[in-house]
Amino acid sequence: MATQNLCTVERRGRVHLITLTGAGEHRLNPALLSAIRSAVAASAGAGALVLAAEGKYFSNGFDQAWASTAPRHLQATMGGEFRGLVADLLALPMPTVAAVTGHAAAAGCGLVLAHDAVIMRGSRGFLYMSEVDAGLKLVDFFAEVFREKVPDAVNRRDLLLRGDRMAAPEAVRRGIVDKAVDGGVEDVVNAAVAEAEKLAARGWDGEVVAEIRKAAWPNLWSKVKDYGADAPAAAARPRL
Amino acid sequence: MATGDLCTVERRGRVHLITLPGAGEHRLNPALISAIRSAVAAACASPGAGALVMAAEGKFFCNGYDLAWARGDPSGRIAAVRAARRGLVADLLALPMPTVAAVTGHAAAAGCGLALAHDTVVMRASRGFLYMGEVDAGIKIIDYFGELLRQKVPDAATRRDLVMKGEKMTAAEAVRRGIVDLAVDGGVDDVVAAAVTIAEGLAARGWDGEIVAEIRKAAWPELWSKVKDYGCDAPSRPRL
């Protein structure tokens, strides 16, 4: 698979940096999700993971255009692959940092929140849960990401029920994003890598990091664990 | 049923405005709750209604359960009014449009819960407070009500102050603590006008109402699961 057309992988010190390539919207379709999951799996031996993107968008959500033309049984794989990616990130034996270099909408926003730390570009881009505007329901585990990572009722209401577009300074103020970084995409990536390097330098036992993470977000973990790469029934068709 | 004596309904633009009339305490008993539920159901049936506002006249928004009435048959009547309010909360959670509480006066106990069951809360700045008076009155807070408070007042210290200390919280304090969205200066009519304006803005987003209801249930799932069997759309007769 030509995954390098979809995402690149590089090591910077102890940090495993995955970048979604190109100027497009990095819509999450089965091909991109599969490429990201492969890239995540390739992080073995690193001390921390960063997920970033090129261009104006971090990720603008699911590939609805693809889904509307795909056969029904394949549409379900997109949701299943996303669930699997979240499971892989939750079970990853190292700290994870999302470098929100551009707009993160819907599933793209969910993907950001599935990381331990979130660094976001200060001057451009916003978090946007577009489902209410687009007339789409939230699947249960997706809402669970928000319940666990956005515990404040008002923030959750504003994001989910009002479809507020939240820029970095607002997101930091509300405790959803850890840090806003001035400058361009590269500056955001560098800041995320620096943060990840600091976490890697703590020298934590990766298995313990994963187990503590699963214990911290148990409801979310329980909803996605059967889809992860290490799920015992991974060989069987996931229940969708 | 002379529901007009218990609550009035009017349309202002796209906003379906329910008002508890009169200078009394608007204490909740099965008759009043039934009238409110009818008014809420009418919002769904009202063509072009895009948002709901719940307000009141006089010094009180709602001062809690009608304990004087309940004393006539304490165990039976308290259970009956609790079940009725559980149904009202279910109806509000399942409502296919955004909801705004205009806390025009004191909101105590079950009345405070009623306000918090809305998506947005505006409150009169100069008068009135939120007051979870149960601890002072020696009344328990049952499961779904506790869940409502957990979901809508996630901050532990604030919840503790409200529920365990029976703190009387003014609008300014409630806004500061993130329970109320907006404190409005002026009189009852000013609060209602502000609530209607917010509601009109939400209605203008043109959201699919069913999606709003589904996202809301996904955002507060534990609360929904505790009340859903009591809503007007519940498949079977509620267990009382």
Side-chain angles (χ1 to χ4, degrees), chain B residues 116-127:
Chain B
L116 294 178
H118 291 69
D119 301 328
T120 301
V121 181
V122 306
M123 190 167 166
R124 190 173 175 193
S126 55
R127 278 224 195 149

Side-chain angles (χ1 to χ4, degrees), chain A residues 49-83:
Chain A
L49 178 140
V50 172
L51 180 63
E54 294 175 349
K56 198 168 137 187
Y57 294 90
F58 177 81
S59 169
N60 224 20
F62 283 136
D63 193 342
Q64 302 293 352
W66 171 86
S68 61
T69 58
R72 196 141 267 246
H73 69 279
L74 285 185
Q75 286 177 36
T77 60
M78 187 163 67
E81 280 291 316
F82 182 69
R83 206 188 281 247

Side-chain angles (χ1 to χ4, degrees), chain B residues 82-238:
Chain B
R82 276 179 173 152
R85 192 171 75 93
R86 198 191 287 248
L88 172 55
V89 171
D91 294 345
L92 287 170
L93 286 180
L95 203 69
M97 66 184 74
T99 60
V100 182
V103 183
T104 44
H106 299 302
C112 181
L114 178 59
L116 294 178
H118 291 69
D119 301 328
T120 301
V121 181
V122 306
M123 190 167 166
R124 190 173 175 193
S126 55
R127 278 224 195 149
F129 35 71
L130 303 178
Y131 173 43
M132 288 300 294
E134 281 83 346
V135 66
D136 289 334
I139 298 172
K140 291 187 210 177
I141 294 175
I142 59 168
D143 63 343
Y144 82 89
F145 195 10
E147 193 61 53
L148 172 69
L149 294 167
R150 270 197 297 283
Q151 296 290 317
K152 296 290 191 134
V153 188
D155 179 72
T158 302
R159 205 184 325 143
R160 187 263 330 268
D161 288 346
L162 261 181
V163 171
M164 303 292 295
K165 287 192 187 179
E167 195 177 293
K168 291 179 163 94
M169 210 173 275
T170 60
E173 182 70 8
V175 167
R176 197 181 65 77
R177 295 208 191 198
I179 306 170
V180 163
D181 293 287
L182 184 68
V184 180
D185 292 320
V188 165
D189 288 339
D190 299 301
V191 182
V192 175
V196 168
T197 300
I198 288 174
E200 186 68 55
L202 294 168
R205 298 289 291 270
W207 293 318
D208 177 334
E210 290 307 320
I211 294 294
V212 169
E214 289 307 306
I215 289 178
R216 190 192 290 118
K217 292 176 204 171
W220 322 116
E222 294 88 354
L223 174 58
W224 173 243
S225 73
K226 287 186 159 70
V227 300
K228 65 185 165 104
D229 292 337
Y230 291 74
C232 57
D233 290 332
S236 56
R237 287 275 85 219

Side-chain angles (χ1 to χ4, degrees), chain A residues 6-240:
Chain A
L6 299 170
C7 68
T8 60
V9 164
E10 58 180 289
R11 281 286 167 102
R12 294 193 190 178
R14 270 169 290 201
V15 177
H16 185 83
L17 169 62
I18 301 172
T19 307
L20 310 182
T21 50
E25 295 188 14
H26 312 127
R27 291 254 175 192
L28 301 170
N29 53 39
L32 179 56
L33 286 165
S34 186
I36 298 172
R37 291 184 77 184
S38 297
V40 168
S43 65
L49 178 140
V50 172
L51 180 63
E54 294 175 349
K56 198 168 137 187
Y57 294 90
F58 177 81
S59 169
N60 224 20
F62 283 136
D63 193 342
Q64 302 293 352
W66 171 86
S68 61
T69 58
R72 196 141 267 246
H73 69 279
L74 285 185
Q75 286 177 36
T77 60
M78 187 163 67
E81 280 291 316
F82 182 69
R83 206 188 281 247
L85 173 55
V86 172
D88 295 344
L89 287 169
L90 286 180
L92 205 68
M94 67 187 73
T96 61
V97 181
V100 187
T101 45
H103 301 302
C109 187
L111 179 56
V112 165
L113 293 178
H115 290 71
D116 300 328
V118 180
I119 309 257
M120 189 168 167
R121 189 171 177 194
S123 55
R124 276 221 195 155
F126 37 70
L127 303 178
Y128 173 39
M129 285 304 291
S130 51
E131 281 84 348
V132 67
D133 287 335
L136 295 167
K137 294 186 203 181
L138 292 177
V139 289
D140 65 341
F141 88 92
F142 203 40
E144 195 62 52
V145 174
F146 281 86
R147 282 196 293 282
E148 303 228 281
K149 297 289 193 134
V150 187
D152 182 84
V154 171
N155 294 341
R156 210 185 315 153
R157 188 271 321 273
D158 287 349
L159 270 176
L160 295 180
L161 274 169
R162 288 201 185 176
D164 279 1
R165 287 171 169 86
M166 215 173 269
E170 181 73 6
V172 168
R173 198 181 62 78
R174 292 188 186 227
I176 301 168
V177 160
D178 293 289
K179 196 170 177 183
V181 177
D182 293 322
V185 165
E186 274 315 305
D187 299 299
V188 181
V189 175
N190 291 338
V193 169
E195 181 67 27
E197 187 66 57
K198 273 201 296 192
L199 294 168
R202 299 289 293 271
W204 291 320
D205 177 332
E207 290 306 322
V208 173
V209 169
E211 289 309 308
I212 289 177
R213 189 193 290 116
K214 292 176 205 170
W217 323 116
N219 298 321
L220 175 57
W221 173 243
S222 72
K223 287 186 159 68
V224 299
K225 66 185 163 106
D226 292 337
Y227 292 75
D230 292 332
R237 289 273 87 217
R239 297 179 315 288
L240 289 167

